[in-house]
Amino acid sequence: MIKNSIITILLLGLIAPICAQVEKQEDFLTQNIPQEQVYIQINNSLLLTGERLLYKFYTLQAESKKLSELSKIGRVELISQNGDIIFEQKVKLYNGQGAADFFIDSDLKSGLYKLIGYTNWMLNAEDSFFQQDILIINPYQELSQTEVEKDQAEKSRFNEFSESNSIYLNLILNKSSYKQREEVKLLLKNQEKISGDFSISVRKVDEIEKPRKINSADYSEYYKNIEWNFNDTLFYPEIRGAYFQGKISGDDDLENLSKNNIVISSPGEENQLQIVSTGNNGDFAFIVDEPTNNDKFLFQVSDSTKAYEIDLVPLKRPNFDKLSFRPIKIDSVSKESILEKSINIQIENAYSSIKTNATGNRIRNNYFFDSKLIKYNLDEYNRFNDVRQTFTEIVKFGRIRKNAAGKNVLLVRNINPYKEFNNPALLIVDGVVEKDHEKLLTYDPYKIESISVLRNKLFFGPSVFSGAIIIETKNGSYPEEFHNKEMVFKKLETPQKTKEYYRPDYSTKALKRIPDYRYQLFWEPDLKLTGKDQEISFYTSDLEGKFKIDIEGFTKEGKPVSISKAFEVE
């Protein structure tokens, strides 16, 4: 039902400029496409420079509170009191949820910040975004600059720690207090047999007043009196991935430029290669549907030989003019705690090469036609001193000939023996389309890892090619020898990669000599419950004091679950 409705609104978007008005569009969208809300669980609302802000992004249907499968991209921003964007990230959403993090750099000033979360679809409603106060302290700065008394009415925003319970789950620890580097076993007693998606954070309780963390049970209070408006500009949900728009201009007249296609690639990222058409005004659009290892993208015009420029259209963002920031006083006792914590963080970061976070494996890196490729791994053959001879002796289904202009071009032999290809093949080097085939012939063949051949006719976006030849170099990052002045490089904010966060195992003595000053003992943003009890275990660090377990999330029926429990490390 939702997919059919999305197709309909896309058609409405195409028809609207012609008809100037679509009757009852707002009624249709209101009745058929669920409105969205965002909730973000964070690991802490107080962070020092050198720490990481960890967060879980939930997108929910506004009415049912169930996870929304509409938007596939969540947007997260950290805003300063001056309105500056400290960071902006895109989170890939799988069934309405995703997770990422941000390192708090030492150049950030102490003060209150706002963490903002929204989807592109939510831009259709004014002030429809999630916001959470974050207190960042930079111990390298003079803290007195941020010391301002807050009034009594504001104190409610800065809560001390307290435990909370849930009718759905009961948190049972195997002990109430633990030693340093001892294993903690936590049983999630699923007394109501619930299923759903959750996130869990285990962290040392701060001795400093800090902003209250918004929980899953009360986040919806921030969306009261929000009105959606589809009569003005319509912002479409990103139903496939991160949506980008661009425009081409240049020495050639606009009509000729608009007849060309735009080739978009990210060096070394095979799955990001795209070919898109341009509109009458030189406009074009494309989607990045997966996280990437490289945020630098390369743009080329398919046939134009004249100079051109490519500009990306800035993304629409919410209006943050109504955001309010109120400072908090840091007393002398807190300063001592901050100094101690800062030293511990520096020690932890000194061992960051050992305590690494592993990148998740959701990144797909192959061409959509990968299964049809015939691959020649050159190290399996006798090597030759030039590429031409390599093709002659090894690449059975590839050939080289001169075109009408006297330049060498690469061709492939059609899989249909009765219809030989006479046009050049599409040449791709490390995920980048190479228009000048002669550059490959002068490249050092010993730097080539493999050559693959596609013998079928290739339908690629609006273009059709007589097969393809794929070159993978040893370093896989598109060598400088293939670059030319016509290429336009742009940095894109692509979806964040998933991570598996560091978890030490002290059941052996392998880490005995490595100091452990972790304040964040455990973080699991992808906790799934399936109606059964579940056990989680983790280890304490070298720090003593009170620690807090936070679990946030939603059942499959859209019921919020917010529960916390404390334990001591002595």
Side-chain angles (χ1 to χ4, degrees):
M1 178 61 183
I2 292 178
K3 289 183 178 179
N4 291 336
S5 301
I6 290 297
I7 293 172
T8 305
I9 66 171
L10 291 176
L11 290 175
L12 285 174
L14 295 173
I15 297 171
I18 301 173
C19 299
Q21 181 179 358
V22 178
E23 294 182 0
K24 300 182 179 179
Q25 174 175 288
E26 184 168 8
D27 289 341
F28 170 82
L29 294 173
T30 301
Q31 296 171 10
N32 293 275
I33 311 298
Q35 298 172 5
E36 290 182 326
Q37 296 176 349
V38 163
Y39 167 67
I40 299 178
Q41 182 193 4
I42 56 175
N43 62 327
N44 203 17
S45 59
L46 167 65
L47 294 163
L48 270 62
T49 53
E51 290 192 284
R52 284 191 179 274
L53 170 64
L54 309 174
Y55 65 87
K56 169 73 175 286
F57 191 106
Y58 295 89
T59 307
L60 304 113
Q61 297 180 23
E63 185 173 344
S64 70
K65 297 299 185 287
K66 294 181 180 180
L67 289 175
S68 171
E69 296 184 8
L70 183 64
S71 293
K72 296 299 184 290
I73 294 294
R75 301 187 187 180
V76 179
E77 301 179 19
L78 188 68
I79 309 295
S80 73
Q81 298 184 47
N82 298 326
D84 297 328
I85 303 174
I86 305 305
F87 78 79
E88 51 185 332
Q89 294 181 338
K90 294 181 179 179
V91 183
K92 177 70 174 180
L93 301 178
Y94 301 89
N95 299 318
Q97 54 192 319
D101 62 50
F102 177 75
F103 182 77
I104 308 299
D105 201 87
S106 59
D107 59 358
L108 277 185
K109 295 181 179 180
S110 298
L112 273 174
Y113 294 79
K114 292 281 187 180
L115 185 72
I116 305 294
Y118 60 98
T119 66
N120 201 62
W121 184 233
M122 291 169 63
L123 292 174
N124 291 296
E126 186 177 1
D127 298 330
S128 181
F129 51 83
F130 174 86
Q131 55 176 302
Q132 164 74 59
D133 288 315
I134 303 286
L135 175 60
I136 293 177
I137 297 177
N138 189 336
Y140 305 106
Q141 297 177 349
E142 288 293 330
L143 294 176
S144 58
Q145 296 176 1
T146 65
E147 291 180 13
V148 181
E149 286 284 358
K150 59 183 185 299
D151 54 49
Q152 284 298 118
E154 189 60 22
K155 283 182 180 288
S156 62
R157 295 173 64 247
F158 299 88
N159 291 351
E160 293 295 329
F161 167 73
S162 60
E163 291 189 352
S164 60
N165 300 311
S166 169
I167 62 173
Y168 301 108
L169 287 176
N170 187 17
L171 304 185
I172 302 175
L173 289 164
N174 60 326
K175 297 171 65 175
S176 60
S177 64
Y178 298 86
K179 298 178 181 179
Q180 296 170 336
R181 302 197 180 197
E182 183 177 357
E183 185 178 20
V184 178
K185 292 183 179 180
L186 172 66
L187 176 65
L188 277 59
K189 188 67 176 177
N190 198 341
Q191 49 211 29
E192 295 296 323
K193 309 299 181 185
I194 62 171
S195 296
D197 295 277
F198 306 89
S199 39
I200 178 171
S201 173
V202 183
R203 188 175 176 87
K204 191 175 189 300
V205 175
D206 294 299
E207 300 174 6
I208 308 168
E209 286 187 307
K210 60 184 179 181
R212 185 181 72 86
K213 286 203 308 183
I214 299 170
N215 61 48
S216 56
D218 61 16
Y219 87 95
S220 59
E221 295 294 319
Y222 293 83
Y223 292 95
K224 284 187 174 181
N225 304 318
I226 296 295
E227 295 184 2
W228 286 61
N229 179 14
F230 299 108
N231 288 328
D232 299 327
T233 303
L234 177 61
F235 297 97
Y236 298 110
E238 295 176 289
I239 60 174
R240 285 181 50 206
Y243 180 75
F244 296 90
Q245 290 178 290
K247 187 178 182 66
I248 182 173
S249 58
D251 294 343
D252 208 347
D253 63 83
L254 188 57
E255 183 178 354
N256 287 334
L257 280 175
S258 299
K259 294 178 182 178
N260 287 282
N261 297 323
I262 307 294
V263 182
I264 304 166
S265 51
S266 179
E269 304 274 351
E270 299 172 357
N271 61 315
Q272 296 303 330
L273 181 60
Q274 302 179 54
I275 301 176
V276 299
S277 57
T278 55
N280 293 331
N281 296 320
D283 300 322
F284 65 93
F286 63 100
I287 292 172
V288 178
D289 62 353
E290 292 288 344
T292 62
N293 293 314
N294 184 7
D295 59 2
K296 187 169 69 172
F297 278 66
L298 188 156
F299 297 80
Q300 302 179 77
V301 176
S302 58
D303 297 320
S304 178
T305 57
K306 296 186 178 180
Y308 55 85
E309 294 182 0
I310 289 178
D311 296 303
L312 297 180
V313 178
L315 293 173
K316 173 68 177 178
R317 301 169 61 241
N319 186 343
F320 298 135
D321 291 344
K322 296 180 183 179
L323 291 180
S324 60
F325 295 84
R326 301 186 182 226
I328 181 174
K329 181 179 176 62
I330 300 173
D331 56 35
S332 58
V333 176
S334 297
K335 287 182 180 180
E336 293 178 5
S337 175
I338 290 169
L339 179 59
E340 179 186 359
K341 187 174 182 179
S342 174
I343 294 171
N344 290 338
I345 290 171
Q346 290 181 58
I347 295 173
E348 274 296 288
N349 289 338
Y351 288 88
S352 60
S353 60
I354 297 174
K355 306 177 181 184
T356 57
N357 299 319
T359 301
N361 57 2
R362 276 177 170 163
I363 298 178
R364 160 185 68 83
N365 193 24
N366 50 48
Y367 302 103
F368 69 87
F369 49 84
D370 209 62
S371 61
K372 296 181 179 180
L373 291 177
I374 301 171
K375 189 171 185 177
Y376 301 90
N377 293 307
L378 298 190
D379 285 341
E380 298 176 1
Y381 300 85
N382 291 325
R383 288 276 188 169
F384 296 93
N385 292 325
D386 64 79
V387 173
R388 183 184 295 274
Q389 192 174 4
T390 300
F391 266 81
T392 302
E393 301 295 338
I394 298 176
V395 186
K396 180 179 178 181
F397 299 108
R399 55 197 178 100
I400 303 170
R401 78 174 189 190
K402 291 187 180 295
N403 62 13
K407 290 189 174 182
N408 290 300
V409 293
L410 301 174
L411 291 84
V412 300
R413 299 191 185 279
N414 195 336
I415 195 170
N416 183 348
Y418 302 105
K419 292 185 179 180
E420 191 62 78
F421 287 141
N422 294 313
N423 293 321
L426 175 67
L427 176 60
I428 303 174
V429 179
D430 290 339
V432 178
V433 171
E434 179 54 58
K435 294 190 289 184
D436 186 355
H437 291 195
E438 289 194 327
K439 284 188 176 181
L440 177 63
L441 299 181
T442 59
Y443 188 66
D444 183 355
Y446 288 95
K447 295 180 180 179
I448 298 176
E449 181 73 23
S450 66
I451 299 175
S452 300
V453 175
L454 177 70
R455 300 182 64 197
N456 306 76
K457 184 176 288 188
L458 176 61
F459 296 87
F460 203 148
S463 303
V464 182
F465 299 95
S466 297
I469 293 175
I470 314 298
I471 306 298
E472 182 181 344
T473 66
K474 289 284 188 180
N475 62 20
S477 58
Y478 191 61
E480 290 283 343
E481 291 93 324
F482 292 94
H483 290 205
N484 65 66
K485 62 181 180 180
E486 294 178 3
M487 295 176 173
V488 176
F489 286 89
K490 297 284 185 181
K491 186 175 181 179
L492 301 184
E493 185 59 55
T494 59
Q496 296 291 301
K497 291 182 285 189
T498 58
K499 292 181 180 178
E500 294 180 4
Y501 293 92
Y502 173 72
R503 298 173 188 173
D505 181 2
Y506 290 127
S507 61
T508 68
K509 296 183 179 181
L511 300 174
K512 182 179 180 179
R513 297 181 179 275
I514 306 299
D516 187 351
Y517 292 105
R518 288 175 300 126
Y519 286 79
Q520 187 76 41
L521 298 184
F522 187 77
W523 170 255
E524 177 50 74
D526 191 21
L527 174 64
K528 296 186 182 297
L529 295 182
T530 57
K532 301 177 182 178
D533 294 347
Q534 191 164 327
E535 188 174 276
I536 293 172
S537 64
F538 54 88
Y539 283 89
T540 61
S541 63
D542 294 338
L543 299 177
E544 299 177 348
K546 180 177 285 187
F547 287 78
K548 179 185 177 186
I549 302 168
D550 281 325
I551 294 181
E552 301 284 351
F554 301 86
T555 68
K556 283 190 174 181
E557 292 73 29
K559 301 297 183 182
V561 175
S562 179
I563 184 170
S564 59
K565 192 174 184 66
F567 63 88
E568 295 278 351
V569 177
E570 300 174 343

